[in-house]
């Protein structure tokens, strides 16, 4: 196995306060369900995945090679707007992606000799910086710089002119590799990526963190900075007929502490407690057309009163989030449109490209 180390990085700093103000290894065969530890089992959604390891929190995917200006570009494909094509490729079927056609959120790629040629590319050479803020304000008070930056043409969403949109995030090129890469095997055409746990309707999800339209989110997640994703239609909307997005809800100030069963949130993650345990509004395969990996970020903050009265709990579903917001227990940290599917919780005008791989 040939593993590419992270290249030397250059720095570019941002703060989260601006974002909030502005807005043993376990292999799963395709389609299989298997134990993800002593308390759960996961069913694979992306059937083309080579291996999913819930213990190590890694996902191994086929590594595809394309090009940009004659130079090799390596990428993964996770989601597909066409049902038959998604089935044939073993990808998540996501009809919502087609709503982004004709916008800057979708690269117009071409295929020459069976190889995808990308107009946009990622620079993987910058230094990723994540410096937490003071205790109790770790996220908003932190300083951040993304470790990989897309150029003016880059987006993980591509089309080759056939009316199909693919989620095809770039993970390596001559400048280096994606910050979530654990190992990359060019000879076997495989790449292993770090994943996150999240929640959907009380179930745990396993999802990748590949791209984000905010430099703060891209740095915090270890994703490509891809501002063109903001052009995807449907900010603050989960309408399957018009929106390319679905909501993801990060809790800013959830309970902290590794052993705390209510632990959750961005502050907790930046303290080193574990994943932020974000809430996914939808998952693939439900037949309602609402899932999208183009996550419309809706951050929430527990109120001082809710915390003081012991009402701060682990949030595990969109309906639970919406209820807590309606009761005034949490507030929205976004400044974007109110989302009617979440009882008016405001969006943050930020996208995070995080394909769901498996659900327990």
């Amino acid at each position: 196995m040939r593993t590419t180390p992270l290249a030397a990085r250059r720095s570019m700093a941002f703060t989260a306060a601006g974002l909030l103000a502005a807005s043993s290894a376990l292999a799963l065969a395709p389609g299989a369900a298997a134990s993800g530890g002593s308390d759960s089992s996961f069913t694979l959604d992306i059937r083309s995945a080579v291996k999913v390891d819930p213990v190590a929190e890694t996902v191994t995917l086929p590594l595809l090679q394309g090009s940009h200006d004659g130079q090799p570009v390596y990428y993964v494909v996770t989601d597909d707007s066409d049902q038959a094509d998604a089935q044939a490729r073993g990808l998540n079927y996501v009809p919502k992606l087609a709503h982004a056609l004709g916008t800057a959120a979708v690269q117009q790629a071409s295929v020459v000799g069976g190889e995808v040629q990308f107009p946009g590319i990622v620079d993987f050479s910058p230094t990723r910086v994540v410096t937490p803020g003071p205790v109790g304000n770790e996220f908003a008070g932190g300083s951040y710089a993304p470790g990989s930056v897309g150029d003016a043409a880059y987006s993980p969403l591509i089309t080759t002119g056939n009316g199909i949109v693919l989620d095809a995030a770039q993970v390596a090129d001559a400048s280096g590799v994606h910050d979530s890469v654990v190992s990359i095997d060019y000879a076997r055409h495989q790449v292993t990526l770090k994943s996150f746990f999240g929640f959907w309707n009380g179930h745990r999800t396993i999802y990748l963190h590949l791209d984000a339209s905010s430099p703060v989110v891209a740095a915090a997640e270890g994703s490509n900075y891809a501002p063109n994703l903001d052009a995807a239609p449907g900010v603050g909307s989960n309408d399957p007929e018009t929106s390319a997005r679905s909501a993801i809800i990060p809790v800013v100030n959830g309970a902290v502490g590794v052993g705390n069963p209510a632990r959750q949130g961005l502050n907790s993650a930046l303290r080193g407690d574990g994943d932020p345990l974000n809430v996914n509004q939808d998952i693939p395969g439900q037949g309602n057309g609402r899932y999208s990996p183009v996550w419309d970020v809706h951050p929430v903050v527990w109120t001082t009163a809710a915390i003081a009265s012991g009402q701060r709990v682990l949030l595990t579903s969109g309906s639970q989030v919406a209820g807590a917001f309606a009761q005034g227990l949490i507030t929205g940290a976004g400044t974007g449109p109110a989302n009617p599917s979440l009882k008016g919780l405001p969006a943050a005008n930020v996208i995070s490209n995080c394909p769901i791989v498996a659900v327990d």
Side-chain angles (χ1 to χ4, degrees):
M1 176 176 289
R2 180 155 63 105
T3 301
T4 300
L6 295 180
R9 310 287 195 181
R10 67 176 179 275
S11 178
M12 169 168 102
F14 300 85
T15 65
L19 171 66
L20 290 178
S23 34
S24 114
L26 170 66
L28 301 186
S35 172
S38 61
D39 62 344
S40 62
S41 63
F42 288 88
T43 299
L44 197 60
D45 288 300
I46 299 178
R47 294 178 298 104
S48 59
V50 177
K51 182 178 180 181
V52 177
D53 185 341
V55 176
E57 291 191 60
T58 61
V59 175
T60 302
L61 295 175
L63 180 69
L64 305 177
Q65 182 176 338
S67 65
H68 170 81
D69 288 345
Q71 299 300 311
V73 172
Y74 299 91
Y75 64 102
V76 296
V77 181
T78 54
D79 302 82
D80 191 320
S81 69
D82 182 86
Q83 187 169 22
D85 194 54
Q87 179 69 23
R89 292 172 179 260
L91 307 176
N92 290 329
Y93 168 47
V94 189
K96 272 185 170 181
L97 292 180
H99 298 317
L101 277 169
T103 74
V106 179
Q107 285 197 70
Q108 181 66 56
S110 58
V111 178
V112 177
E115 181 181 85
V116 174
Q117 296 187 345
F118 296 94
I121 195 170
V122 176
D123 179 4
F124 293 102
S125 68
T127 299
R128 179 188 175 208
V129 176
V130 178
T131 305
V135 173
N137 196 35
E138 289 88 349
F139 177 67
S143 182
Y144 306 87
S148 50
V149 179
D151 67 10
Y154 175 73
S155 173
L157 305 183
I158 69 167
T159 185
T160 57
N162 57 3
I164 296 174
V165 177
L166 300 176
D167 190 350
Q170 295 179 21
V171 296
D173 58 33
S175 69
V177 301
H178 194 284
D179 282 312
S180 73
V181 168
V182 175
S183 64
I184 189 164
D185 190 330
Y186 297 97
R188 296 178 64 191
H189 310 290
Q190 294 180 3
V191 61
T192 298
L193 304 167
K194 289 293 293 181
S195 61
F196 285 152
F197 286 118
F199 286 108
W200 168 81
N201 284 2
H203 297 270
R204 288 201 299 171
T205 60
I206 294 174
Y207 64 90
L208 301 171
H209 44 102
L210 298 175
D211 306 86
S213 67
S214 156
V216 171
V217 176
E221 292 180 341
S223 298
N224 298 328
Y225 176 39
N228 282 334
L229 281 171
D230 276 340
V235 59
S237 170
N238 197 32
D239 186 344
E241 301 302 319
T242 59
S243 178
R245 312 178 182 209
S246 187
I248 190 168
I249 302 122
V251 179
V252 175
N253 63 337
V256 301
V258 174
N260 189 338
R263 188 199 72 77
Q264 183 174 44
L266 302 178
N267 287 348
S268 173
L270 288 170
R271 285 164 51 101
D273 294 342
D275 293 346
L277 304 177
N278 299 331
V279 177
N280 307 117
Q281 188 176 22
D282 296 286
I283 62 169
Q286 296 302 293
N288 57 16
R290 294 187 180 278
Y291 163 76
S292 175
V294 181
W295 293 111
D296 196 10
V297 179
H298 288 62
V300 299
V301 177
W302 285 101
T303 66
T304 302
I307 296 171
S309 61
Q311 296 182 82
R312 181 171 61 178
V313 297
L314 179 67
L315 298 171
T316 64
S317 73
S319 60
Q320 187 185 13
V321 169
F325 177 69
Q327 295 173 56
L329 299 175
I330 57 175
T331 61
T335 59
N339 191 329
S341 69
L342 293 170
K343 295 188 183 296
L345 182 69
N349 293 307
V350 171
I351 289 294
S352 183
N353 176 34
C354 294
I356 287 181
V357 178
V359 182
D360 77 0

